[in-house]
């Protein structure tokens, strides 16, 4: 408990402070002040639990101080310690809100202890009651939001029972959403699940709750109504009535709402998010379809690493000419080069295709991954045809690796490296490989665990480092460092699947300085930490 002492005589203030310490109640004296105004100003800048004050003082007397405290700080308790024994003063003090009235001439340590102990008990009881009320309100609020989220999740999934109960649930949850023409938004933190590392709130559940509250407040301010809820981990859903857009077009209003949501989450929580938007449909029966559209728009935007806002109709206007023209032309060239065993030219066709996809973005994430899977299987089948019994990846393993790649850039690098290793194997078996590059690849495979560099490889084959770098890229289709990193990451995956090595041991076995650096490189290459990869592999 913190006590402030108020008296216009310095020696009296010191005497009262000594009495307080002698009570041995563990009370802290927060300050001693010469009049009521000084004490009131102090209460505005620091927490005080109890005021012990005289009555007659200059500037502001004790009774006025108690009245002002009751107005501004009703939880602060007051005690009068005065030289005046007249009933008039005691009456005024008690009417103003003083908890006790003690005469200075008669006060003892025991009497002061009893009075302060009583105030301590009152404060403890009040705190306990306040805590109970807060806990009850929090539980009711959490229960309300949980029920709301369960219902709204069923609604956006298109469940008939949820649609049938719409009006009743809107009334129960005090939501003002129309039955027709709802705008659906999906919101995902950028770089999830690591978004919380830079946020003001580190706890994931508390962060999601804060995001929902800020979005709800933003919708009330910007649109007049609307609601947000957690659909699943790292995915929020927003519903807004399009009839509240006024004279603006639905698209214009939706983009404004999304921009304001992004801005507020960044300002108040330091969280960066992307938003997918589906335009309104006629009635609730289409809400499930709208939700899927908003998810697709968001996934396409984040897959190609173009963050912020995606309007479904714009994202849907894909480059169909690419699938109709460029893709058939690629397959014709690619299969022809593979059949003619012109593997470098086949790899060049793959690189050109992936560059075109990255520039024009004609495919969804699922379509792009299916295409890469098909190319990878074609390469490995060609390798098997080249030499019977050649080692190839299991289809399940390739599928798992592709599924774990969260962006197109990672998917592209994965396929180019897979193609480079195919060229390496194929040309070694053919004997048509550049002798220098064969030696470099053999050196990498033999020495990758020793922390080798491009300079060491150049010294090995007696070439200038810059020239070797250009030659390696020309022959293999990828850089020396990318080839080395891929080889190490593949070895780490093998070690993880074997289940016997720690992160530190794996780092040592593949040539990285420590486990922390390995984790950083592994996540950059795969989109997952080694632990996440191990957990994902264990579930398959």
């Amino acid at each position: 408990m913190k006590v402030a002492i108020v008296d216009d005589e310095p020696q009296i203030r010191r005497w009262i402070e000594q009495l307080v310490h002698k009570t041995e109640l563990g009370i802290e004296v927060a300050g001693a002040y010469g009049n009521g105004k000084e004490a009131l100003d102090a209460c505005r800048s620091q927490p005080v639990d109890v005021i012990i004050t005289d009555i007659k003082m200059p500037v502001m007397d004790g009774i006025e101080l108690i009245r002002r405290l009751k107005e501004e700080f009703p939880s602060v308790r007051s005690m009068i310690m005065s030289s005046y024994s007249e009933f008039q003063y005691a009456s005024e003090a008690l009417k103003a809100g003083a908890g006790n009235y003690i005469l200075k001439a008669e006060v003892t340590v025991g009497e002061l202890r009893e009075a302060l102990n009583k105030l301590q008990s009152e404060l403890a009881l009040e705190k306990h009651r306040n805590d109970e009320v807060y806990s009850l309100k929090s539980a009711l609020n959490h229960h309300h939001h949980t029920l709301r989220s369960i219902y709204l999740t069923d609604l956006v999934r298109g469940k008939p029972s949820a649609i049938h109960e719409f009006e009743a649930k809107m009334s129960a949850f005090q939501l003002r959403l129309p039955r027709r023409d709802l705008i659906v938004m999906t919101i995902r933190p950028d770089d999830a699940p690591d978004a919380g590392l830079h946020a003001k709130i580190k706890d994931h559940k508390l962060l999601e709750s804060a995001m929902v509250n800020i979005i709800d407040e933003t919708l009330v301010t910007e649109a007049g109504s609307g609601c947000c809820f957690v659909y699943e981990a790292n995915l929020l859903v927003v519903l807004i009535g399009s009839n509240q857009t006024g004279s603006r077009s639905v698209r214009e209003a939706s983009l404004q709402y999304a921009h304001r949501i992004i801005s507020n989450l960044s300002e108040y929580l330091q969280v960066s998010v992307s938003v997918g938007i589906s335009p309104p449909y006629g009635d609730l029966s289409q809400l499930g379809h709208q939700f899927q559209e908003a998810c697709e728009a968001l996934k396409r935007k984040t897959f190609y690493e173009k963050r912020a806002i995606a309007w479904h109709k714009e994202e849907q206007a894909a480059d169909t000419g690419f699938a109709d023209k460029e893709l058939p032309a690629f397959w014709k060239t690619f299969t022809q080069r593979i059949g003619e065993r012109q593997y470098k030219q086949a790899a060049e066709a793959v690189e050109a295709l992936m560059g075109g996809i990255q520039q024009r973005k004609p495919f969804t994430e699922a379509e792009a991954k299916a295409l890469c899977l098909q190319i990878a299987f074609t390469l490995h089948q060609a390798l098997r045809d080249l030499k019977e019994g050649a080692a190839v990846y299991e289809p399940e393993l390739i599928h798992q690796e592709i599924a774990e790649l969260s962006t197109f850039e990672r998917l592209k690098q994965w396929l180019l490296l897979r193609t480079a290793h195919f060229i390496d194997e194929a040309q070694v078996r053919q004997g048509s490989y550049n002798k220098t590059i064969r030696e470099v690849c053999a050196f990498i495979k033999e020495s990758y665990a020793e922390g080798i560099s491009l300079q060491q490889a150049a010294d090995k084959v007696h070439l200038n480092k810059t020239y070797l770098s250009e030659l390696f890229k020309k022959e293999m289709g990828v850089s020396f460092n990318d080839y080395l990193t891929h080889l190490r990451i593949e070895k780490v995956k093998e070690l993880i699947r074997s289940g016997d090595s720690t992160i530190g041991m794996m780092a040592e076995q593949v040539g990285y300085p420590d486990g922390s650096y390995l984790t950083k490189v592994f996540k950059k290459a795969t989109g997952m930490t080694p632990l996440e990869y191990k957990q994902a592999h264990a579930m398959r």
Side-chain angles (χ1 to χ4, degrees):
M1 187 169 74
K2 293 186 176 182
V3 172
I5 299 167
V6 192
D7 196 291
D8 57 339
E9 296 185 41
Q11 64 184 43
I12 297 294
R13 293 198 296 269
R14 290 192 292 273
W15 171 66
I16 295 173
E17 184 173 350
Q18 289 173 359
L19 285 178
V20 170
H21 289 311
K22 287 180 179 179
T23 64
E24 298 180 345
L25 293 174
I27 293 172
E28 176 186 346
V29 176
Y33 307 98
N35 59 64
K37 184 179 183 305
E38 290 180 5
L40 185 61
D41 289 341
C43 288
R44 289 169 177 158
S45 61
Q46 65 176 326
V48 173
D49 299 308
V50 174
I51 291 284
I52 301 176
T53 181
D54 192 7
I55 292 181
K56 286 195 171 184
M57 293 178 292
V59 185
M60 182 186 292
D61 64 26
I63 292 174
E64 179 62 22
L65 169 62
I66 293 171
R67 289 196 184 104
R68 297 286 292 275
L69 286 172
K70 280 296 176 187
E71 292 173 3
E72 295 188 38
F73 307 99
S75 64
V76 174
R77 297 293 194 273
S78 302
M79 177 191 300
I80 294 288
M81 188 178 289
S82 176
S83 300
Y84 298 93
S85 60
E86 289 86 349
F87 174 77
Q88 177 188 352
Y89 290 116
S91 177
E92 281 190 56
L94 294 172
K95 284 179 182 177
N100 210 334
Y101 191 104
I102 300 176
L103 291 174
K104 291 177 183 175
E106 300 176 1
V107 68
T108 64
V109 172
E111 186 179 1
L112 183 60
R113 181 188 297 114
E114 184 179 347
L116 290 174
N117 199 28
K118 179 184 176 184
L119 292 178
Q120 250 184 341
S121 298
E122 288 178 5
L123 287 168
L125 180 60
E126 183 176 333
K127 182 180 183 303
H128 178 68
R129 287 173 178 169
N130 289 339
D131 288 345
E132 283 187 331
V133 170
Y134 177 79
S135 178
L136 181 59
K137 285 182 177 179
S138 297
L140 289 172
N141 188 52
H142 176 73
H143 183 62
H144 176 85
H145 273 80
T146 300
L147 290 176
R148 190 179 90 163
S149 293
I150 291 171
Y151 169 72
L152 293 173
T153 297
D154 287 344
L155 186 66
V156 299
R157 286 175 175 170
K159 288 193 174 182
S161 59
I163 295 172
H164 178 72
E165 297 173 335
F166 183 77
E167 282 79 10
K169 292 296 186 182
M170 291 302 101
S171 175
F173 296 128
Q174 298 180 334
L175 297 174
R176 293 190 296 118
L177 290 175
R179 191 176 183 90
R180 298 174 57 85
D181 302 320
L182 285 173
I183 299 166
V184 179
M185 295 183 183
T186 51
I187 300 175
R188 188 183 299 279
D190 296 331
D191 303 316
D194 296 333
L197 295 177
H198 308 293
K200 286 186 177 180
I201 300 174
K202 303 304 179 185
D203 182 85
H204 181 71
K205 289 293 183 184
L206 291 178
L207 178 61
E208 279 191 336
S209 179
M211 290 174 69
V212 168
N213 289 337
I214 287 174
I215 293 171
D216 277 344
E217 290 174 10
T218 303
L219 294 175
V220 170
T221 303
E222 296 294 319
S225 72
C227 67
C228 174
F229 64 97
V230 178
Y231 180 82
E232 63 184 25
N234 299 311
L235 182 63
L236 308 182
V237 177
V238 170
L239 302 177
I240 315 170
S242 63
N243 57 352
Q244 296 159 321
T245 59
S247 60
R248 299 166 295 172
S249 69
V250 172
R251 181 183 183 281
E252 181 184 359
S254 300
L255 293 176
Q256 180 179 324
Y257 301 153
H259 277 296
R260 190 54 58 90
I261 287 169
I262 290 171
S263 174
N264 286 347
L265 291 176
S266 176
E267 178 181 354
Y268 296 115
L269 296 177
Q270 294 181 2
V271 173
S272 171
V273 300
S274 295
V275 181
I277 308 173
S278 173
Y281 282 65
D283 58 67
L284 287 177
S285 64
Q286 297 296 314
L287 202 60
H289 181 63
Q290 281 182 262
F291 172 63
Q292 292 302 322
E293 286 185 345
C295 287
E296 288 170 11
L298 180 61
K299 285 186 73 175
R300 186 186 291 252
K301 201 79 169 178
T302 53
F303 179 59
Y304 288 105
E305 296 184 278
K306 289 181 65 178
R307 306 274 172 79
I309 302 168
W311 177 262
H312 178 259
K313 287 187 175 179
E314 294 171 354
E315 294 298 314
Q316 193 180 32
D319 189 348
T320 54
F322 195 96
D324 295 340
K325 296 178 182 178
E326 277 81 350
L327 194 56
F330 160 76
W331 279 116
K332 181 180 179 180
T333 301
F334 180 67
T335 53
Q336 183 178 337
R337 296 292 181 258
I338 290 290
E340 295 170 352
R341 298 189 176 181
Q342 297 178 357
Y343 301 125
K344 283 178 57 180
Q345 289 82 352
E348 289 168 1
V350 171
E351 187 171 9
L353 174 75
M354 298 303 280
I357 294 173
Q358 191 162 32
Q359 181 179 7
R360 294 166 62 174
K361 303 169 183 61
F363 303 128
T364 65
E365 178 179 350
E367 290 168 342
K369 287 184 174 180
L371 174 60
C372 290
L373 193 63
Q374 191 175 359
I375 293 171
F377 282 150
T378 302
L379 290 172
H380 289 296
Q381 185 59 49
L383 193 60
R384 174 174 283 175
D385 293 343
L386 186 64
K387 183 176 181 181
E388 191 66 31
V392 294
Y393 277 82
E394 298 177 3
E396 297 81 9
L397 189 57
I398 296 177
H399 192 280
Q400 177 185 337
E401 289 184 0
I402 287 181
E404 291 162 358
L405 302 171
S406 58
T407 66
F408 181 80
E409 178 61 30
R410 285 174 175 161
L411 181 66
K412 172 186 169 185
Q413 291 303 319
W414 178 89
L415 184 61
L416 293 181
L417 287 165
R418 190 69 65 228
T419 304
H421 277 274
F422 163 77
I423 294 172
D424 180 19
E425 293 290 334
Q427 293 198 345
V428 165
R429 289 190 177 109
Q430 278 190 302
S432 59
Y433 215 7
N434 180 298
K435 182 176 181 294
T436 299
I437 298 304
R438 278 206 309 274
E439 290 181 22
V440 171
C441 288
F443 171 67
I444 293 173
K445 290 174 183 177
E446 292 168 2
S447 311
Y448 66 86
E450 300 172 10
I452 59 173
S453 65
L454 177 62
Q455 184 62 62
Q456 289 174 298
D459 293 341
K460 180 78 175 177
V461 293
H462 310 292
L463 288 177
N464 175 274
K465 182 175 78 171
T466 303
Y467 176 72
L468 175 59
S469 176
E470 293 173 355
L471 180 63
F472 194 94
K473 172 76 174 177
K474 179 182 176 182
E475 289 286 328
M476 300 298 295
V478 293
S479 70
F480 174 90
N481 285 335
D482 285 345
Y483 184 91
L484 174 59
T485 298
H486 180 74
L487 196 68
R488 285 170 165 166
I489 294 302
E490 291 304 310
K491 180 61 178 176
V492 171
K493 288 179 180 178
E494 289 180 22
L495 293 170
I496 290 173
R497 289 193 292 271
S498 72
D500 298 328
S501 302
T502 65
I503 294 293
M505 291 168 61
M506 287 188 284
E508 185 178 345
Q509 291 178 67
V510 299
Y512 285 130
D514 52 53
S516 176
Y517 187 78
L518 166 59
T519 299
K520 181 179 177 181
V521 175
F522 192 91
K523 179 156 189 180
K524 183 178 179 182
T526 67
M528 308 173 78
T529 65
L531 178 59
E532 290 167 346
Y533 180 86
K534 182 177 182 178
Q535 292 169 342
H537 180 75
M539 289 188 294
R540 292 176 183 270

